[in-house]
Amino acid sequence: MTREPGSNPRPGHRPPPRAWARRCLLALASAVIAGGCTQTLDAGYNRPSGLLPVDQRNPIILLNDGAYDNWSGEYAVLLANGGGSPLAGIIVDENSDWPDIQTNVGGYRDLVAAARGSGLKNLPDPIASIGAPLVMPATGNIDDTQPNRSEGALLIVDTAKTLGLPYRPLVIATGGALTDVADAYLVDHTVTERVVIVSSLGSVTDTGAGMGSPNGNGDPWADFIVASRFRYIQVSAWYDQLTDVPTSSLSKLPNNALGAWIAAKQPNLWQWSPASDQVSILAVGLPAFATAIQNVSATSSVDAGATSGPSLATDQSGPDWLVSGCDGNAATNRFWTILLSTN
């Protein structure tokens, strides 16, 4: 990976994916030994359930903007109550498409209230986070970037300290710009030791992927920071989210607050098929969802004024991951299985 001039390669340094997996197992074994061998180490205990190195056992923070254009929030609360990832936090920000932070966070608060009213449990209160896109410093050195110290960044840092384990890190599942994630690194470089970033972002190319639209165009410098410093999984695999709750299925929704919320939201989903922000949540909380992956590396920095993040080149020993195929039917089936259990 090409690093910017003057950068320090140690903060946020990431081992290659296979080394990462070996370190996770060694950390788990060391914990067992330190505990006096009071438990038996199951050789498959920490083996991921799917193709990715994180799965439904990793706690998740959802980071997104608008509450009404996709099913990210709904999948997050449903999977947290149906065998998916525990939901440790919900961070809501703003962007040019969803510029009203009060509308954004209010939508997520209404979703959580509806879910709680329908019997779903262990759901955190959404928080609002405000932070402008990060600015590349004149030196081009990541560590010279001025942080926002946003509410979202501080929550990521604090939650990682309590929930991020060497063998089971906290996952930040994003469906928008990566500003708060990169800001968390600028606040505390050691956060990269306890988190993994999984982002619904960009598109697949002939040589790997690009960190552009959707979501990668919101803060290109933050994209570069995340791809360079964090353990990063980009999900550029999409399915038609309009098939999750088609009009023909509205009558099947449960007669409770969550069913009413989904019925009211369904006509207003953005018609940007097949894009859907919830793919980051699904790649972690539903191991069968990701069907094709590859290792990639960020190929370069970004220029001042860039409109997208760096390119990710296919690289067998690359430190980042790219999801390029998914199973939308598996997602829809799990959505309805859990939803109908709230009746």
Side-chain angles (χ1 to χ4, degrees), residues 21 26 45 81 118:
L26 286 172
Y45 175 79
N81 284 264
S118 304

Side-chain angles (χ1 to χ4, degrees), residues 186-208:
L186 299 173
V187 170
D188 180 358
H189 289 1
T190 68
V191 72
T192 62
E193 300 167 7
R194 297 179 292 273
V195 303
V196 174
I197 313 305
V198 181
S199 296
S200 167
L201 190 148
S203 58
V204 174
T205 66
D206 291 341
T207 58

Side-chain angles (χ1 to χ4, degrees), residues 260-278:
W261 162 268
I262 291 173
K265 174 174 172 174
Q266 187 263 1
N268 300 312
L269 285 184
W270 282 4
Q271 307 293 304
W272 288 1
S273 174
S276 45
D277 280 351
Q278 62 262 24

Side-chain angles (χ1 to χ4, degrees), residues 124-152:
D125 293 323
I127 70 162
S129 183
I130 300 173
L134 298 173
V135 177
M136 183 176 69
T139 61
N141 184 351
I142 284 175
D143 296 335
D144 292 336
T145 306
Q146 182 66 35
N148 291 326
R149 302 190 65 86
S150 66
E151 297 89 341

